[in-house]
Amino acid sequence: MPRRRQSPHQRRPQQSIAAGNEHAHQPFSWPRVFRRAWVSGSVASIISTLMVMGWSRRIDGATPAGTNAASQWVWDRSARRARGWSWRHTAIGYGVHHASSVFWALMYEGWRHRHPGRPLAKASVIAALAYVVDYHVVPPRLSPGFEHRIARPGMLMTYAAFALGLYLADRRRDTRR
């Protein structure tokens, strides 16, 4: 006797996961979204920081210069001139970047949880939105600051690395299931 075709709402969770809808069986939960955002934001932060550092070294000759510039949130313009490794500039700059990465990851994870599928496209949209907000909405002092230390190609690669970080964290979670 042929099996009757099930609607997506009648499928068991395993079938939804196999179909690429990994969140379909889980009700929306802010704690879960926050946990996922912490992980994906951290991965995106690390990968994009490595990109900033690489471009800083290439363009400016000082590896931490781009990361230091992000400390302009605290130290204003002096942060843009800081070239060496320091708690004052490098650690605070990374902390600012990491916090903003987790913020954008929270948006990504909330969107992914409510509307699964196409994670790379969603990560790219979030990275593009982050760029627009960072450079066309907020005051210059609240921008990431590394635009003063890396060239335009470095900016493009940094936001692409951020999107890749969101995506890779998401893919890693899916392969572990």
Side-chain angles (χ1 to χ4, degrees):
M1 181 168 171
R3 284 181 78 186
R4 204 172 77 187
R5 188 177 174 136
Q6 295 177 331
S7 76
H9 300 292
Q10 294 172 323
R11 290 184 187 144
R12 294 191 328 263
Q14 293 81 9
Q15 291 170 319
S16 295
I17 292 170
N21 195 356
E22 67 274 5
H23 302 295
H25 67 286
Q26 297 175 352
F28 186 83
S29 160
W30 277 112
R32 181 180 302 120
V33 170
F34 277 113
R35 282 191 307 272
R36 291 174 67 97
W38 178 257
V39 172
S40 59
S42 296
V43 172
S45 174
I46 291 166
I47 292 174
S48 58
T49 297
L50 291 173
M51 186 64 69
V52 167
M53 288 179 160
W55 278 91
S56 291
R57 183 179 176 97
R58 180 177 178 190
I59 300 298
D60 193 70
T63 302
T67 303
N68 291 347
S71 70
Q72 71 180 355
W73 280 36
V74 177
W75 307 118
D76 204 11
R77 291 188 178 137
S78 68
R80 297 179 196 165
R81 294 186 299 273
R83 294 177 47 87
W85 298 96
S86 71
W87 286 106
R88 177 183 170 109
H89 293 292
T90 313
I92 290 175
Y94 180 74
V96 166
H97 178 65
H98 190 86
S100 64
S101 295
V102 172
F103 168 79
W104 289 109
L106 186 59
M107 291 187 176
Y108 170 75
E109 294 295 348
W111 188 17
R112 284 276 295 134
H113 191 82
R114 291 192 183 270
H115 304 283
R118 303 187 57 155
L120 185 57
K122 286 181 171 71
S124 299
V125 168
I126 292 296
L129 180 62
Y131 170 80
V132 169
V133 170
D134 287 347
Y135 292 103
H136 301 288
V137 175
V138 300
R141 182 172 176 175
L142 299 181
S143 72
F146 48 71
E147 72 277 9
H148 299 287
R149 304 302 259 194
I150 61 178
R152 284 185 187 253
M155 295 288 292
L156 175 65
M157 296 302 292
T158 297
Y159 280 90
F162 178 77
L164 181 64
L166 292 176
Y167 172 76
L168 290 175
D170 205 359
R171 293 292 63 160
R172 185 172 189 288
R173 269 193 301 270
D174 290 347
T175 58
R176 290 175 59 196
R177 292 179 153 228

